[in-house]
Every structure is written in structure tokens, then in C-alpha cells.
Amino acid sequence: MISRIYIMPKKIDKKIDSYLIDSRLSKKEVLTLAKTLTNPILEDCYVDESPKLEGFSYAIEIGFLPGVTDNVSHTVKEIAIDLLHLKKDTDFQVFTSKIFFTKLHKLKDAQEHFLTLYNPLIERAYIACIKSGKINLPKKIPKVVLRKGISVLPVSLSVSDEELKKIGKEGIMDGNGKRRGPLALDLSSMQVIKEHFAKLKRNPTDIELESLAQTWSEHCKHTIFANSIDDIKDGLYKTYIKGATNLIRQKKGQSDFCVSVFSDNAGGIIFDKDYLITHKVETHNSPSALDPFGGAVTGIVGVNRDTIGFGLGAKPVANTYGFCFSEPDDARKLFKDKNLTQPMLPSKRIMDGVIKGINVGGNCSGIPTISGFIKFDNRYRAKPMVFAGTVGLIPRLRQGFGGQTKKKLHEKKARVGDYVVMVGGRVGLDGIHGATFSSITLDSNSPATAVQIGDPITQKKLSDAIVKEARDLNLYNSITDNGAGGLSCSVAEMAKECGGAKIFLEKVPLKYPGLRPWEIWISESQERMTLSVPKRKWKKFQKLMESRGVEATVIGEFTSSGKCIVRWKGKKIMDLEMDFLHNGLPKHHLRTDSTPQNLPLSGEIKSFPLIRGNTRGLGEGFGKDLENLFVEKNISGFSFISEQYDHEVQASSVLKPLS
């Protein structure tokens, strides 16, 4: 039975909340749930009947597209299970939406008015006419419907260079005649893969090609920094970034406070005799251009996971941020495609969404957001810069167990025979081609599935269970996050520690049925970690995770075979040598090209005398100019951001946010 709950403010507003309940609950049980979700002082609830809406012409319902993470629905489901004493495996689904109202009388005007209220990349919208003060919205469940017949495709590389380029840029051709999405592999990379499989006398499978694309992507390998450039033979990374750091460390000698650099999910330095501090910052620019909220929240929870994945697990203790936006009132219309049919989101929509994403990622995870910066420049109109950072804390040593010596917690190593265990959120279509998408130019082919919406509450439970309990109980040997490339990258990275891995892909928990093997393998769905758990400790680890509401599943085993092997229902679908997977990427010699620009100066440059003491003697013109300067967004404060972010949670911040 499908029921709809409306929750409406007593003082009529232009927005109400809606919950579609798909369950076998009685009407009495649904009403009990509705009353629990309602604040009786401020709100009224209605079950399967429309509230009275006098004076409005149209209503528009905005909810998530099928398969997009709906955090509120997860919470409502947990409330219902506890409130109504349901079993955890009860067939019970919740779908949330918001309903907006307008007094505009023309349908076209109403449609244009609400265009800025939703993002078609991740949300659905439905407009209904309000008649006699009532709305009649369909009770349609947004379920994911995937193809029937799940198969693994061989990909022939015995094609022309032109076709190889197309496969690398636009993706593998599916049975329906459409390309899957970018592999971000150039011609030389495709030729190396072609030669490799020619030696093996077979074609690669689609999952093998997709896995190589994730591992070789700019996002994962940082190929621009790694390749030689101009007269810098070893590249920018080895020469100036790693090289400069190593030189400083050598000069510091015994005073070197760096413990882990360029080798783990985050960097680690000595804080005191008992603790290390970790730090990681990354950008989420392209995802935030497509979906500002989703791009930003996955950025911040992603670096939270990088912190949890440092060593044997650091505790995230502080978040940081940096935003570069176009002016909020920049009304220019930009498009992703040449035909001008796919508009970019409005500038203010991007700013508001990004700020909210970092807010939710920190506040809902119980991590203080203590500092950041913001910069406005209209050159960021098409693509903002969104920095997300996390500081972590980890003990330097763990006390020995059963007579063992103390262990350095920043050291980890998967061991042959350990189970490959996936913990946290389930795998879905969201995050497909996230790594390769981030490695190319944003255009009309940018895939909707590349952006995910994080679930900070699920990640909070995972984080606490790992860092506060499992780590100190010595229940696993290694850990890393399921970031870019999902399982394809996390398993392959950890497999380097012991020499190989074998995976049984059908064991991976899914959000919904119908995902193809390659999609399961490379999906970057959020809130997931991969661990190596000794077989003798699995039952204890599993019981701990279950008691904390964290899903944990054995999906394979670490080996010393020198290969990463993936099976699907008994059939081997991927068999790649570890050396080729990690080191087979061809090297390039890059060259820089200078493009001088002579930009005209606009406006009059004014100089102002230094102000000391009383300013009453200043002329009126100067005072007005000073006021205008303080109005400038790059000069005035940004307390409107810092006041939204919780910087007191965990009660550990000493210096408060600057505004």
C-alpha cells in the first residue's frame, strides 16, 4: 500500500514536506508515524488527504530521481522501525519530497518560476494544478528500473586508431548502440592496452578496460605532474613537490617531524610524544559545477574517509574549506554544449549548494568546521573551485595484545589470506565514472552518474565503529577508502601490499538489483571502506559492526598471485597482472605553451591616505568610497558561512573561525 504524508506549517508557507510510504502498514500505523514526524506546536499533518491551500494556483513537487541517495528517507525509515517495532528486513520504503506553491496563473510562468528550484541532474519535478484549494499529486514511487540480463562484454581493440580514440574519450559501446561514458584514456594508452591483450591472445572484457581507466586516470595517477615536462626530466611532482619535501626532511635530520608523506590517503606529522596529526585537502570542482550540494558534500565526506583510511585509522577532528565562486548576481547564461541546450546552473545556486554541502558533511558527521576562505571572481562562473579538507588525530602506538609488542598505527599491510571486507554503504549507479569524469573537460557528455550524494550519518556510524573500537581491538591489518574508482581502486591499491587479490563480485551488497558487474566494480557510491580482516577475527569484527548498525561483507581474499582476479557467479571476468594495472600507463613528455594576454585596465585607480585616529575630517567623497570598499564581497567578512558551520562540536577548537 502506498500512503502520502503531508506536513504543513500552521502559518501557511509556500512550501510543505511530503513523504511517500510504500509498505504494508495499516492506516493507523501510518498516522502514528506522521504524528511522530510533526511538531504539533508549529505544524499539522495530513495522511492521504490534501491540506487546504487557498489563494494558490499551482503546486510543484520536487524529489530525488530514482536511485539518488535520500538521507531524510533513511532516517524516517529508522524512526518507523523503532516506533512501530518492525523487523529490520521489513519491506518498507520512504521517498521524500518538497512541494512549493505559486499564485502565478499561467502554467508556462509557473514552470519558468520553478526552474531554479531543482537540479534535473539529480531531482525530478511534477507540476499540479490546485483546484478548490486542494492538490492532487500522483502516488508514484521513484524506483530504479535497470536492464534485464546482466552480461560481461568482450571489447575488441582490433580497430582503427580513430575508433580507439573514440573508445577512450566517449566510452565502450553498449548493446543498445550508446557509449557508456568517458574512460579518459588517450590514444597512446589505448594502444598500450591493445598490445598487452594482443600478447595474451584475447580481447579485454569491459570490466578490465573500465578498471584500467579508473587506475590510470589523471584523478588517481596525477599524470600531468608525474610526466616529464619541458626540460624537467623527472616531472613537476618528483622534482619540485616530492623532491623539495625530501630535501627539507634530509636537512632537518633528527628534527624531521614528518612520519608519512606521499604514501597514504593523507599526510601524517608528529603532534607530540603520543599522537600524530593527519591532513588531507582535495578539490571537487567539476562535480560541484554539475550538482553543487552533491559535489561539495562528497568532497568533504571523501576527505573524512581519507582520514579514516590513514594508517590503521585516524579520527577526523576538524574540517576546512575554500570556495572560489562567480559573483552571486552574475546573470550570464552559460551552456555545457555547443547547441546551447544544456544550461549551467545559476551562480547563486552553485554558491548556496556548495556552502550547504560542506555544512551537512561536517555538521551531520559531528566534525567541527573551523576555518576556510571565500573568493569571488566572475571567471569562476562556469566552474567553481571547491576545496575540502580534514585534519585527523591518531595515536602513535597501540598497546600490544597477548604479549605482542606495541604497533605503530601509521603502518598497515594487507596479508595473504586476509578477507577482503567492504563496510558501510551499499553500491549503486551513483559515482559511475567519477574518477574518469574528473580527469576531463566539463562538457555536454559529462555523466549524471558521476556525482553522488553523501550520507554523513551512515559515515559517522562507520567512522566511530572503526576508529573508536575495531582499530584498538586489532581486528584488521589494513584499511583504505572506496574513493575514486570504488572497489576497483581500493582493492587494487591494498592488493599491492601483499601481491594480489581475488574478488567474488556477486557478494557485494547493492542498493537495488540490476547493476552490471563493471558498474559494481567501479562505482564510487559513498560511505564505504575496504579492510583486510584476518579470517580468525572475522566473526568478532562482523559482530561488532552489526551491533553498531554498520553493514560488513566478505567479498574476497587477498593473495600473492601477482594478479587482481574478479569472478562473477563462478566465471572469471577480470584477470589483470598487478604490474600492468599499476605501472603499465605509458609515459609522455609534456610541453608548455605561453599565451600572453594584454588585459585592459577598467575603471580609475584611486589611492587613499593612511587613516589614523579620528576620521571626521575626511571628505564626504572619500567616506563613500570607503563604504563601497567595505561592501565588496572579497573585502567584507564571510560570517554568513562560518555561522552556519558547527565549530564547537567535539569541544576541541581553541581558535574560532575568522569572519
Side-chain angles (χ1 to χ4, degrees), residues 614-634:
N614 195 330
T615 61
R616 288 182 182 175
L618 295 174
E620 290 182 4
F622 181 82
K624 188 63 178 176
D625 287 337
L626 194 58
E627 288 177 11
N628 292 338
L629 280 175
F630 289 145
V631 170
E632 285 291 321
K633 295 180 181 65
N634 286 323

Side-chain angles (χ1 to χ4, degrees), residues 600-606:
L601 292 174
S602 59
E604 182 183 353
I605 300 176
K606 297 182 179 180

Side-chain angles (χ1 to χ4, degrees), residues 316-321 358-372 638-659:
V317 295
N319 285 337
T320 60
Y321 63 90
I358 299 293
N359 180 333
V360 170
N363 288 12
C364 294
S365 299
I367 302 170
T369 304
I370 57 173
S371 65
F638 51 95
S639 59
F640 74 97
I641 296 178
S642 57
E643 287 173 357
Q644 298 179 50
Y645 295 169
D646 189 341
H647 55 270
E648 298 290 6
V649 65
Q650 296 189 22
S652 57
S653 63
V654 177
L655 295 176
K656 308 306 177 182
L658 298 175
S659 58

Side-chain angles (χ1 to χ4, degrees), residues 297-474:
V297 74
T298 54
I300 198 66
V301 297
V303 288
N304 291 166
R305 285 197 308 277
D306 284 325
T307 302
I308 302 166
F310 172 87
L312 287 168
K315 176 187 176 184
V317 295
N319 285 337
T320 60
Y321 63 90
F323 305 143
C324 297
F325 300 129
S326 176
E327 295 280 354
D329 57 359
D330 186 345
R332 287 177 298 163
K333 290 186 177 180
L334 301 181
F335 298 84
K336 291 188 292 180
D337 63 323
K338 294 180 180 179
N339 296 325
L340 308 183
T341 60
Q342 299 182 35
M344 301 293 297
L345 293 172
S347 183
K348 189 174 187 303
R349 178 67 185 273
I350 291 175
M351 182 186 77
D352 291 343
V354 167
I355 291 171
K356 184 179 178 183
I358 299 293
N359 180 333
V360 170
N363 288 12
C364 294
S365 299
I367 302 170
T369 304
I370 57 173
S371 65
F373 72 85
I374 186 167
K375 168 72 175 176
F376 291 97
D377 189 308
N378 285 342
R379 287 173 291 184
Y380 293 109
R381 174 65 186 90
K383 187 175 180 179
M385 288 198 72
V386 179
F387 295 90
T390 299
V391 178
L393 190 68
I394 183 173
R396 298 181 68 175
L397 298 173
R398 178 179 58 203
Q399 297 297 327
F401 285 81
Q404 299 177 20
T405 57
K406 291 182 178 180
K407 179 174 177 59
K408 295 178 180 178
L409 286 182
H410 70 274
E411 295 178 350
K412 59 185 177 183
K413 184 178 181 181
R415 294 175 182 169
V416 176
D418 283 356
Y419 282 140
V420 180
V421 177
M422 190 186 94
V423 300
R426 294 187 162 213
V427 173
L429 278 178
D430 49 322
I432 301 292
H433 290 138
T436 52
F437 155 69
S438 297
S439 304
I440 60 174
T441 304
L442 187 66
D443 60 18
S444 59
N445 295 316
S446 298
T449 55
V451 184
Q452 321 95 53
I453 291 184
D455 181 358
I457 296 173
T458 295
Q459 185 154 304
K460 170 66 172 171
K461 292 191 291 185
L462 180 156
S463 174
D464 286 351
I466 295 292
V467 175
K468 294 183 179 180
E469 297 183 271
R471 181 195 69 192
D472 295 331
L473 289 172
N474 195 28

Side-chain angles (χ1 to χ4, degrees), residues 7 37 45 58 201 469:
I7 296 180
L37 298 173
C45 66
Y58 291 97
K201 297 181 179 180
E469 297 183 271

